[in-house]
Amino acid sequence: MVTRGFHGRRSAEADPSRVPPGQYVTRDFPVLSAGPTPRRLAADWTFTIRGAVDEPVVWSFYELRALPATSITTDIHCVTKWSKLDTHWRGVSLDTLLADIDTSADYALAFSDGGYTTNLPLADLTGGQAMIAYEYEGEPLTAEHGGPARLLVPHLYFWKSAKWVRGIELRDDDHPGFWENYGYHNYGDPWKEQRYAGD
């Protein structure tokens, strides 16, 4: 189940200080998934924060779109060794969604349509580091890239940016997600090449 990834060269045009070790730059946006692509209409999509909270909080897609939005330009890095620079995203910061939630949790488990999960320290979802993204390059996010909305945590390898995200479960303990259970690194810092358990 663990694929060591693609091979390629760093682009001569890329600033090497922006490309983590072992990565190569692509202008494409490769589509990689653990299973079939879910096709969910925005009208049927919701996002839930549950777990170590007084009670779950749920937003419809349109309620999410009505919240203050953030636009970012960022580089993304896949564990399969490609990096894509200067990607443009728009969505709602996790800081906004968590602002009125009181929790004792230190960890989060993102969950998605299709049964995908991935775990992160809650600290990596706050401080402007993460969003629920619904636009890519000025257009609605397509299903192939995780639409109608995906988690975006660009400072970690891209498997942590769960496609087709439906919510996060706040937890007092760290519970490994899908790829983490199949040997991927628990944290996934691209600058430390934390691809696989033990890296």
Side-chain angles (χ1 to χ4, degrees), residues 4 79 157 159 183-189 192-199:
R4 285 282 169 177
V79 70
Y157 278 125
W159 91 81
Y184 277 34
H185 198 278
N186 198 54
Y187 184 63
D189 184 340
K192 296 180 179 178
E193 292 195 84
Q194 291 177 338
R195 292 183 171 88
Y196 307 103
D199 285 349

Side-chain angles (χ1 to χ4, degrees), residues 70-74 86-91 128-131 152-154:
T70 300
S71 296
I72 64 167
T73 300
T74 189
D86 295 318
T87 61
H88 303 95
W89 304 84
R90 186 170 178 83
Q129 298 182 93
M131 68 162 56
L152 181 67
V153 193

Side-chain angles (χ1 to χ4, degrees), residues 89-92 131-135 141 146 148-152:
W89 304 84
R90 186 170 178 83
V92 176
M131 68 162 56
I132 304 302
Y134 49 73
E135 288 184 8
L141 191 61
R150 74 178 296 158
L151 179 62
L152 181 67

Side-chain angles (χ1 to χ4, degrees), residues 93-95 98 122-130:
S93 170
L94 261 295
D95 294 307
L98 291 165
L122 185 56
D124 285 273
L125 297 179
T126 58
Q129 298 182 93

Side-chain angles (χ1 to χ4, degrees), residues 41-47 59-66 133-134 148-149:
L41 297 174
D44 298 327
W45 181 91
T46 57
F47 183 83
W59 293 266
S60 71
F61 184 77
Y62 303 107
E63 288 170 335
L64 186 86
R65 288 291 305 258
Y134 49 73

